[in-house]
Amino acid sequence: VTRPGVLCEVNSSFLSLHSCVSGVYNIQLPGKARFVRNAMTGEIIAKDTDCLKLELPAWKSIWLLLE
């Protein structure tokens, strides 16, 4: 994560992110993910990437599956 105001835990298959401050967050993944899915909805957020750019409001939590 490239800016303050976010709590982020990540491993090779899961990413948990909680934003304390609204904004755009750049997240470097630990490796290339074929798919990045919203763990709650199954929606594909990104494909074939090792980084994410997410815009989140303050006090938002998101859980992503890295496949």
Side-chain angles (χ1 to χ4, degrees):
V1 178
T2 58
R3 57 177 286 193
V6 67
L7 302 171
C8 184
E9 294 291 329
V10 65
N11 62 35
S12 62
S13 60
F14 184 78
L15 183 143
S16 172
L17 188 105
H18 178 77
S19 60
C20 300
V21 177
S22 62
V24 176
Y25 296 93
N26 295 306
I27 301 156
Q28 184 66 46
L29 301 177
K32 191 169 186 174
R34 188 170 159 221
F35 296 104
V36 179
R37 291 183 194 271
N38 182 312
M40 303 302 287
T41 67
E43 174 188 5
I44 295 174
I45 304 297
K47 294 180 183 179
D48 297 317
T49 189
D50 64 353
C51 61
L52 297 172
K53 188 174 193 176
L54 300 173
E55 184 171 358
L56 297 172
W59 312 114
K60 172 76 174 178
S61 294
I62 189 168
W63 299 280
L64 302 175
L65 301 174
L66 308 175
E67 302 173 8

